[in-house]
Structure formats: structure tokens, C-alpha cells
Amino acid sequence: MSTHREEWCGTSLREAIAILNLSCVFCSVTAGVTDPGVCLAVNNEFVVFPALHQRPNNRGHMLLVPAGHLGGIADVPLEKAAPMLAALQATTQAVKAAFGASGTTVRLNLGPPAQDIFHLHWHIIPRYVGDDFNSAKSSEVPLSERLQLTAKLGQHLVRRASARLSK
């Protein structure tokens, strides 16, 4: 017998986790179960949220992920390729604007040993001249700071969408 707390729309918590594929940490984040409030929808297919680990001189490191689980680039259906590229373009430009970066580094790691979480994702990192990126160590950032990074990025994603609509 389950308690009210363990139920979700008549489904036990264990069944809901299985349905939502919450064994994948990124599926859990995009579903709002882990770190609620950190995700922004870039379009109907992709969301963006701050990386848990950030380098001190590159705050604003974001992860762009498909809202539904896709293990790698080979799993992307052809009809999602254009929305994927549009989301990557919009996010990259918003990261640069939101964090006053002179450029960005975009990374896609595929398979071991490069990929730690097997849910397709891009790292979009704000870059600055002399930022010591390659030798600086990253550290875990608290949820409160990641929520602030999300809010800052959100202002620029909205502005970009509005700018496109007005053209």
C-alpha cells in the first residue's frame, strides 16, 4: 500500500521514476525532479541548465540537452537535427551575451572515456581572454548560484527570441 506522498497521478514513485527514465540524471533534471527551476526551454525539443561544476573564471558554463532521452548523436532523429542546431546556436549566443564573454567553447563528448553521462549534451562555456581555462580546476556550485545563472541566461534567451520575432 503506497502513501499519498509516494503517488504521482495514481502511479507509485518507483513506477514514475521508471516511466520518466529518472535513472538518467539529465532526465531527472529536465523533469524537474532534481534541482527544480534550473532548466530553461530553448525550443520544444531542447533545454539548457548550468553545469554542476564550474571553473572560477568561466561561470555560466551551460549544458544543452534534449528534453527526451537520447544517448548520443547517432540517436538523434533526422527531424530533430534542425531544432538541435537552432537550440545550440541560440544558447551559444545567449551564453556569450549573458556573461559578457568574448567567445565560447562548445564541446560534445561521445562515448567513454569522454562522456560520463550517456544522455546527449553539449557544454557551452563562456570564454574570456586570459581566463586560464585549460589549467583552472572546476568546483561544485550550489543550487542557489545555479538558479542565478539560469535567471541571467533566461533574460538573453527571451531577448533573442523576441528579436527574431520582430524581424
Side-chain angles (χ1 to χ4, degrees), residues 57 59-60 92-104 126-129 152 156:
N57 297 329
R59 289 294 203 254
T92 301
Q93 292 172 348
V95 164
K96 187 176 175 186
F99 302 104
S102 52
T104 57
R127 296 298 308 275
Y128 310 90
V129 175
K152 194 170 187 177
H156 292 273

Side-chain angles (χ1 to χ4, degrees), residues 92-127:
T92 301
Q93 292 172 348
V95 164
K96 187 176 175 186
F99 302 104
S102 52
T104 57
T105 291
V106 176
R107 289 188 174 174
L108 173 62
N109 299 320
L110 297 171
Q115 188 177 5
D116 295 327
I117 298 171
F118 293 92
H119 183 129
L120 181 64
H121 62 284
W122 288 262
H123 296 258
I124 300 145
I125 306 156
R127 296 298 308 275

